Amino acid sequence: MHNDVRDDADVIVVGAGPAGASAAHWCASAGLDVLLLEKGEFPRDKVCGDGLTPRAVAELVRMGVSTREDDGWIRNRGLRVHGGGRAYELDWPNLTSYPGYGMARARTSLDQTLAQHAQANGAKLLERTKVTGAVRDERTGRVLGVTAQPLDGRGRAEGPERTFRAPVVVAADGVSSRFGLGVGRERRDDRPMGTAVRAYYRTPRHEDPFMESHLELWSGAPGKSDLLPGYGWVFPLGDGTANVGLGSVHSTPARQSAAGIDYRRLQETWLANSAPEGWDLVPDEERATIRGAALPMGFNRGPLYADGVILAGDAAGMVSPFNGEGIAYALQAGRVAADAISQARARRTDTAREATLATYGARMRDDLGGYYTLGRWFVRLIEHPEVMRVCVRYGLPRKVVMQFTLKLLSDCYEPRGGDWVDRVIAGLTRVVPRS
């Protein structure tokens, strides 16, 4: 981990989304010199549903991020689920591990808030700085830093390329993770891949206390098309608007490609044929364009740590195959990564430091691996339209089934103790493979 050239920081974080901002915050809070590099300029957008589960809220609370309504947050009680001609309002469970509410906030302001929080705790943030590659030790191949290109306001190169050095680099540069790919972290083709599209609409119900989920997602008009593995959503944002979108998932990238779905057109079809009732949705003048993004799921890139590089968030495929949620796991990954990095600095030999850094991957797999495996199996089932029909027809009428489903799909259950539902879910995640 040591070399003869002076380091510019104790840790470099590539990407200032939730994973990167969390890692930067926790590393800086531990007294480390942190360099946080972001190719964009805040505020900047990110395609997302903008909803935060109680698990994500718990991470924000740990970070000390203010979540008051005066600071732009809206809280929600739970999920309103539609399907099979029925609807249920399901409150988030009351748990000791997570608060009994979720929140929503547009990513344009969420990501900026988290990056500024990391800054306030001591991280050095460089915006409009595109990381172009890794600096390696010629003898061992270990990553010792990054090369980066300053950008102007239009995203064009501005000035000479720079080199920044640090003993550890956290790659939190999103779905494509060009940095991760550049250091040999290939995407796994046996993991689920999702696609989400969304746009913003004005609505008088922008302060509705429930996020809304529509489980019947048809490729065309209902009864004349296939029932797809996914769901549509309406997430009220409390600012006069709601995030409205849909997501679909397939068990492998190959199956996703074979499906050949035009998701933007699918959203238009969904809203034209079965628009969520009572919302009076009107396209927002400035944000009405339907935008889409890929959702890498179930640890689809790895190893999570090797040769001085930690993968976090979307760069590691830390998105739930159950519901497309990634913010909670990104924030968690940043926290766990920072703990491994700061503990490694206290070790006296390179061997001990490397072993300590490797605990990051082990801890993330121990906590999420079983849950992601269940999610992969779930996706394989719902890829079959007949299975989706059975789930909607016979699952929705039974509230106890829906309460179980809410805990399972949202990853909001007591990992130890709790009621019988918590014990069943926790037991399942422990007995299935975690890789």
Side-chain angles (χ1 to χ4, degrees), residues 3 7 50 53 182 198 233 247 284 326 362 427-428 433:
N3 54 79
D7 290 327
D50 298 340
T53 63
R198 62 96 172 105
W233 68 73
D284 183 68
L428 288 172

Side-chain angles (χ1 to χ4, degrees), residues 227-239:
L227 187 60
L228 300 176
Y231 67 96
W233 68 73
V234 182
F235 293 168
L237 296 175
D239 62 354

